[in-house]
Amino acid sequence: FEISFDSLAPFFAPPNPLYERTPSSKYNSGLASIKPYMDFKVKKFELHTALAFVPEFGRESNFHVLPTAIVNFPIINQKLFFKGGLNSIAERVSLNYYRKENPYISPYQDLEITKKNQIFAGLNSNLFPNLSFGAELGYEYYFNHHFYDIDPYANYNNMFRIIYDDASRFYAKANISYNYQKSFRIEGEVVYQDYITDSLSFAYYKPKFMASMSLEYIPAEKLVFSLNPIFKSKSKTMVLNKEVELSPIIDINLSVEYKYSDQARFFLRLNNLAFQRYQYYYNYPSQRFMG
């Protein structure tokens, strides 16, 4: 059982001279989710089924019935597994979540309920003792997918608003993990995605290709070295009714940490070793190097 409620009643700071909008409580909304489920096994097939009943309350009153049916079974016993099916969710994402994803967002937003229907199929493998990998293909359909746009109420075009649009997403992803004697670990993931939007001309800030890697070396019990390269292909957005293309992102981060005790740790972190002035969001370029 889950209840989600968010309020935009006027308890924010006094009006900002750089921003023309004032808080309002008319956008309060929420939902409750009751999701009975059943797990059962037929020979080697494990099935998870659920049916969520989700009443929406606030400025609108809707009722959603969302099915879930996922099957899991081994192709090679204890070595190669299949997992796939249908997954449906409805959520009222909080303003705090959006703030973490986009720290330049305006606090005054008209937030909507989002629904997602996902059909997917994937393989996971442990063919070798220290090596595992997985792959997944899927299709997602969103009602009210969130995107970021320059907020027209921001006097200097330096804040973002949330806009919603129905959207489809086709994706393929693969990941790999390797461990060697508890002293070396490498993980990697690649994702390809393609969005089709309903009203927007394209999906804002959504790169088609993303790749990330994590390399961790533990030469001693309390000493850890980590290297984390990240790549994202170019993305696009709209600025003052003009299409703007953002360059690809190459971000390489290095950290060293020594755990002196449970209460004290010493660390050194070096970020953006590729010295790139990339932009996750328009008009906010990163520092070329940070430490």
Side-chain angles (χ1 to χ4, degrees), residues 5 17 63 74 113 122 145 172 200 270 288-289:
F5 180 79
F63 189 83
I113 303 294
H145 192 296
L200 300 177
L270 306 176
R288 288 193 183 275
F289 173 79

Side-chain angles (χ1 to χ4, degrees), residues 7-290:
S7 172
L8 285 182
F11 47 71
F12 292 102
N16 188 336
L18 304 180
Y19 195 73
E20 296 178 355
R21 192 173 180 181
T22 56
S24 172
S25 61
K26 68 178 182 179
Y27 299 127
N28 293 347
S29 64
L31 58 79
S33 177
I34 302 172
K35 191 175 184 179
Y37 68 92
M38 179 179 293
D39 293 335
F40 54 96
K41 188 173 183 179
V42 179
K43 294 183 178 180
K44 64 179 182 179
F45 297 91
E46 296 180 357
L47 301 176
H48 169 74
T49 59
L51 191 63
F53 304 94
V54 185
E56 179 183 341
F57 53 89
R59 65 185 155 166
E60 295 183 4
S61 297
N62 295 316
F63 189 83
H64 311 286
V65 179
L66 304 173
T68 295
I70 298 174
V71 61
N72 189 359
F73 63 88
I75 298 175
I76 301 176
N77 191 30
Q78 297 183 347
K79 294 294 183 180
L80 183 64
F81 301 88
F82 172 87
K83 184 177 182 180
L86 168 68
N87 188 29
S88 303
I89 63 171
E91 58 183 353
R92 172 62 163 77
V93 181
S94 70
L95 186 63
N96 189 50
Y97 170 88
Y98 294 123
R99 177 192 63 81
K100 292 179 180 179
E101 187 178 76
N102 183 345
Y104 318 112
I105 191 172
S106 160
Y108 312 131
Q109 301 292 336
D110 181 4
L111 301 183
E112 301 279 355
I113 303 294
T114 297
K115 291 195 300 179
K116 181 181 76 170
N117 297 319
Q118 177 193 33
I119 300 174
F120 70 98
L123 296 174
N124 291 285
S125 172
N126 296 303
L127 293 176
F128 305 100
N130 299 322
L131 178 66
S132 63
F133 65 87
E136 183 175 304
L137 295 173
Y139 167 78
E140 297 172 338
Y141 185 79
Y142 291 87
F143 297 89
N144 287 339
H145 192 296
H146 76 274
F147 300 96
Y148 296 109
D149 188 22
I150 294 291
D151 195 326
Y153 291 99
N155 292 334
Y156 294 97
N157 296 323
N158 62 343
M159 287 185 178
F160 292 85
R161 64 175 177 173
I162 298 170
I163 57 176
Y164 293 93
D165 192 18
D166 295 345
S168 299
R169 175 181 179 252
F170 300 90
Y171 71 90
K173 64 180 180 180
N175 60 76
I176 188 171
S177 176
Y178 175 74
N179 295 277
Y180 179 73
Q181 296 182 349
K182 298 182 179 181
S183 62
F184 180 78
R185 180 180 61 86
I186 180 171
E187 294 181 350
E189 182 179 65
V190 293
V191 177
Y192 174 82
Q193 61 183 9
D194 187 25
Y195 279 86
I196 300 175
T197 50
D198 184 22
S199 300
L200 300 177
S201 55
F202 57 87
Y204 299 176
Y205 296 108
K206 298 296 183 183
K208 286 186 176 294
F209 182 78
M210 298 175 288
S212 62
M213 182 176 291
S214 174
L215 295 92
E216 189 173 274
Y217 175 56
I218 308 175
E221 182 180 358
K222 297 183 177 182
L223 184 63
V224 179
F225 292 83
S226 298
L227 179 66
N228 302 102
I230 298 171
F231 172 79
K232 293 186 178 183
S233 62
K234 62 184 180 182
S235 61
K236 296 186 296 181
T237 187
M238 295 292 289
V239 179
L240 301 177
N241 297 321
K242 293 184 178 180
E243 185 177 311
V244 175
E245 185 175 276
L246 302 182
S247 300
I249 293 173
I250 300 175
D251 194 2
I252 302 175
N253 305 308
L254 176 66
S255 67
V256 182
E257 182 177 285
Y258 177 74
K259 182 180 178 181
Y260 178 77
S261 67
D262 291 338
Q263 290 77 34
R265 298 186 182 194
F266 302 91
F267 63 88
L268 172 66
R269 294 173 185 163
L270 306 176
N271 298 328
N272 197 10
L273 296 180
F275 293 87
Q276 300 293 306
R277 292 282 283 177
Y278 60 80
Q279 298 183 68
Y280 279 110
Y281 298 102
Y282 175 76
N283 210 25
Y284 282 94
S286 66
Q287 296 292 333
R288 288 193 183 275
F289 173 79
M290 293 175 288

